[in-house]
C-alpha cells in the first residue's frame, strides 16, 4: 500500500488528554530555523476518529479521512464548491500532514490533524489562481519580555520558536525570519530593536534583503510557579516601534505556553495583514529614501572643446527577478520589459512556475536608468546595481513621476534573494 507524505512540523504528545503542542524545530542552542516558508495551502483542525485491524491501519485510515475532509474544506474556502478526489490524486497534492494531537490505541485512532496542499497542483485541479499578492519584505525581530528581561536574538526564546513554527503561505505579509544564528545576535539584539536611527537600520535590513522591520512583542507573566501564564502581545513595526494593536491571552499552566504563543502569532499576523490593507504598513521612507531631484545648472561650453567624436553608449546586462504564478506571467513580463525603451533583449534564464524566475535583460544605458524606466511604467522595483526584483504595483497606486533630465537617480531599496 502506498504510504502518505512524510510527517513534518508540529507533533503533539500522545498521552490521553494532552493538548500541549511540541514543535520539532531544527537548530542549535541559539539558532531556530523556520519550519516552513512555502506558499502551500493549509487546512488545520481536522478531527478524525477511526478504527482499523491494528494501530498502523487505523492511523493510515485516519490520515486518508483527513485528506478527504481537508480537500473538501479547502475547495469551499476557495469558492470552488463541493469537490472530491480519489485517494491517489490526494496523495499527489498533499505535501505534508501535521499532527496537532493524536491518541493511538490497538485498533483505534483519534486525532486532530492539519494538511498542507501543494499550491500549484491544487490550484490547477480547482481551477483557481495560485498567485498571492505579497507585501514588500519585512524582517521579523520577535522581542520577548520575561521576568523583567527583554530579549531579541541574543539567545533562543520560546517566542522566537513560535515565529519559526508559523507557516506564512496563507499570509500577504512577506516575512523575512532570521534564524538567530551567525551574525543575527549582533545585528538584531534588543539594543538595535530600540535604536531609531534610520541610517543604521538601513544598513542592517539590507543584510536580510528587507524593506522594513516588524517587532512583534510578547510579555509573559507567571502568576505563580506552575500556575496560569498571562501573555500581553503587541504588534509593532518600524524603527520608531509604532504600535498597531495589542491584546492579552491566558493559559492555565506553563504546559500550554507553546499553544498560547502559536495563537498569538496567528492573531498578530492578522493585525499586520489588516494594517497592510489599510495602508498603515507602508515601508518607512527613511529606510528607502528617494533622492530629491537636482536642478541642473546651465553651463555655456560653446567652442570650449574640439570635436570629441560620438560618445560611446553604455550597455548593461541586468538580472531581473520576477513572480511567475503561471506560464502567462512569463510571456507577459518578457513582453512588457521588451517594450521598455533601450531594451534590446529580455529572455528568461531560470523558470520557476509558482515561484520567482530570473530574466536577463540587455539595456542600452545604466542600471539606474533602467530602474527609473520600470518605475515610470508602474513596476515596483527592489534592489540595486545589476540585480533587481520587480513586482506589479498594487491596483490603484500611482506610478512615480519620471525624473527630470540630469536628476540624481533614486536610491535603491534593499533586495531579497532569488527566494522572493
Amino acid at each position: 500500500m502506498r504510504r502518505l507524505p512524510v510527517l513534518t512540523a508540529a507533533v503533539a504528545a500522545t498521552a490521553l488528554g494532552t493538548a500541549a503542542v511540541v514543535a520539532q524545530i531544527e537548530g542549535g542552542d541559539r539558532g531556530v530555523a523556520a519550519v516552513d516558508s512555502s506558499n502551500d495551502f493549509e487546512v488545520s483542525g481536522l478531527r478524525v476518529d477511526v478504527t482499523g485491524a491494528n494501530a498502523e491501519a487505523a492511523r493510515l485510515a485516519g490520515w486518508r479521512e483527513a485528506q478527504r475532509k481537508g480537500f473538501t474544506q479547502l475547495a469551499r474556502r476557495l469558492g470552488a464548491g463541493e469537490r472530491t478526489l480519489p485517494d491517489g490524486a490526494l496523495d499527489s497534492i498533499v505535501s505534508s500532514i501535521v499532527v496537532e494531537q493524536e491518541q493511538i490505541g490497538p485498533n483505534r485512532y483519534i486525532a486532530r490533524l492539519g494538511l498542507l496542499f501543494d499550491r500549484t497542483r491544487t490550484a490547477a485541479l480547482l481551477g483557481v489562481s495560485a498567485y498571492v499578492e505579497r507585501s514588500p519584505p519585512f524582517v521579523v525581530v520577535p522581542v520577548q519580555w520575561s521576568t523583567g528581561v527583554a530579549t531579541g536574538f541574543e539567545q533562543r526564546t520560546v517566542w522566537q520558536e513560535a515565529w519559526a513554527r508559523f507557516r506564512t503561505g496563507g499570509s500577504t505579509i512577506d516575512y523575512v525570519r532570521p534564524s538567530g544564528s551567525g551574525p543575527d545576535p549582533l545585528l538584531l539584539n534588543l539594543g538595535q530593536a530600540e535604536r531609531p536611527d534610520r541610517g543604521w537600520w538601513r544598513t542592517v535590513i539590507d543584510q536580510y534583503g528587507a524593506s522594513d522591520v516588524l517587532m512583534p512583542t510578547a510579555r509573559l507573566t507567571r502568576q505563580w510557579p506552575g500556575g496560569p501564564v498571562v501573555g500581553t502581545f503587541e504588534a509593532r513595526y518600524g524603527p520608531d516601534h509604532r504600535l498597531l494593536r495589542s491584546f492579552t491571552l491566558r493559559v492555565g499552566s506553563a504546559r500550554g505556553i507553546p499553544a498560547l504563543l502559536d495563537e498569538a502569532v496567528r492573531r498578530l499576523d492578522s493585525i499586520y495583514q489588516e494594517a497592510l490593507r489599510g495602508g498603515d504598513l507602508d515601508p518607512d521612507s527613511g529606510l528607502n529614501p528617494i533622492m530629491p531631484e537636482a536642478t541642473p545648472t546651465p553651463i555655456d561650453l560653446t567652442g570650449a572643446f574640439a570635436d570629441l567624436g560620438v560618445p560611446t553608449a553604455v550597455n548593461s546586462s541586468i538580472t531581473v527577478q520576477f513572480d511567475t504564478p503561471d506560464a502567462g506571467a512569463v510571456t507577459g513580463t518578457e513582453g512588457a520589459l521588451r517594450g521598455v525603451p533601450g531594451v534590446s533583449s529580455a529572455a528568461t534564464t531560470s523558470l520557476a512556475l509558482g515561484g520567482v524566475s530570473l530574466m536577463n535583460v540587455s539595456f542600452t544605458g545604466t542600471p539606474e536608468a533602467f530602474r527609473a524606466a520600470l518605475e515610470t511604467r508602474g513596476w515596483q522595483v527592489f534592489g540595486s546595481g545589476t540585480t533587481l526584483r520587480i513586482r506589479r504595483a498594487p491596483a490603484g497606486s500611482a506610478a512615480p513621476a519620471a525624473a527630470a533630465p540630469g536628476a540624481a537617480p533614486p536610491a535603491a531599496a534593499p533586495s531579497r534573494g532569488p527566494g522572493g
Side-chain angles (χ1 to χ4, degrees), residues 181-270:
S181 59
D184 296 344
L186 296 176
L187 297 176
L188 300 175
N189 52 41
L190 184 65
Q192 173 60 31
E194 296 181 346
R195 186 197 305 267
D197 180 67
R198 263 63 173 176
W200 182 249
W201 264 118
R202 189 159 56 246
T203 302
V204 170
I205 65 175
D206 184 56
Q207 305 300 316
Y208 299 92
S211 298
D212 209 331
V213 59
L214 301 177
M215 299 174 190
T217 302
R219 299 175 183 270
L220 301 180
T221 304
R222 293 165 173 80
Q223 296 188 344
W224 61 80
V229 179
V230 177
T232 301
F233 303 94
E234 299 172 340
R236 295 183 178 271
Y237 88 99
D240 293 328
H241 264 225
R242 181 179 174 184
L243 177 64
L244 296 173
R245 197 183 307 168
S246 63
F247 58 90
T248 300
L249 298 176
R250 181 181 183 275
V251 69
S253 68
R255 296 174 60 189
I257 289 180
L260 173 79
L261 298 180
D262 289 342
E263 176 62 23
V265 171
R266 285 191 289 269
R267 294 196 186 188
L268 287 170
D269 174 63
S270 298

Side-chain angles (χ1 to χ4, degrees), residues 338-351:
R338 289 182 185 130
V340 176
V343 173
S344 58
S345 67
T348 299
T349 58
S350 176
L351 179 62

Side-chain angles (χ1 to χ4, degrees), residues 140-154:
V140 181
V141 183
V143 177
Q144 175 181 317
W145 285 84
S146 181
T147 64
V149 177
T151 306
F153 280 104
E154 296 91 328

Side-chain angles (χ1 to χ4, degrees), residues 53-246:
N54 51 51
E56 183 177 356
R59 193 183 202 194
L60 179 61
W63 287 4
R64 292 284 193 194
E65 182 177 330
Q67 287 188 158
R68 301 184 199 108
K69 288 183 176 180
F71 181 76
T72 301
Q73 182 175 325
L74 179 63
R76 287 198 301 264
R77 191 174 77 193
L78 297 178
E82 294 289 334
R83 301 288 292 273
T84 58
L85 284 179
D87 290 336
L90 289 174
D91 288 347
S92 68
I93 63 175
V94 174
S95 58
S96 297
I97 295 179
V98 182
V99 178
E100 299 173 359
Q101 182 181 6
E102 68 178 1
Q103 302 168 31
I104 305 175
N107 58 2
R108 188 179 181 184
Y109 182 71
I110 303 173
R112 185 176 70 246
L113 305 174
L115 297 174
L116 298 181
F117 291 90
D118 181 271
R119 179 176 289 271
T120 303
R121 295 179 182 178
T122 305
L125 288 173
L126 293 177
V128 299
S129 174
Y131 179 71
V132 178
E133 187 71 30
R134 305 300 290 271
S135 71
F138 290 88
V139 64
V140 181
V141 183
V143 177
Q144 175 181 317
W145 285 84
S146 181
T147 64
V149 177
T151 306
F153 280 104
E154 296 91 328
Q155 62 184 16
R156 182 170 179 163
T157 66
V158 292
W159 188 223
Q160 181 192 356
E161 292 175 0
W163 277 96
R165 286 194 297 269
F166 180 60
R167 290 184 174 81
T168 60
S171 177
T172 57
I173 305 296
D174 188 358
Y175 294 105
V176 180
R177 295 180 288 178
S179 67
S181 59
D184 296 344
L186 296 176
L187 297 176
L188 300 175
N189 52 41
L190 184 65
Q192 173 60 31
E194 296 181 346
R195 186 197 305 267
D197 180 67
R198 263 63 173 176
W200 182 249
W201 264 118
R202 189 159 56 246
T203 302
V204 170
I205 65 175
D206 184 56
Q207 305 300 316
Y208 299 92
S211 298
D212 209 331
V213 59
L214 301 177
M215 299 174 190
T217 302
R219 299 175 183 270
L220 301 180
T221 304
R222 293 165 173 80
Q223 296 188 344
W224 61 80
V229 179
V230 177
T232 301
F233 303 94
E234 299 172 340
R236 295 183 178 271
Y237 88 99
D240 293 328
H241 264 225
R242 181 179 174 184
L243 177 64
L244 296 173
R245 197 183 307 168
S246 63

Side-chain angles (χ1 to χ4, degrees), residues 271-341:
I271 293 173
Y272 285 131
Q273 291 192 69
E274 182 180 343
L276 179 68
R277 291 190 295 268
D280 296 327
L281 205 62
D282 294 332
D284 192 311
S285 59
L287 300 176
N288 302 275
I290 299 177
M291 299 298 292
E293 295 184 359
T295 303
T297 302
I299 302 175
D300 185 8
L301 298 176
T302 305
F305 303 101
D307 184 10
L308 299 180
V310 179
T312 303
V314 178
N315 295 316
S316 302
S317 178
I318 303 170
T319 300
V320 177
Q321 305 169 9
F322 63 104
D323 295 319
T324 48
D326 50 41
V330 179
T331 57
T333 306
E334 287 180 345
L337 266 60
R338 289 182 185 130
V340 176

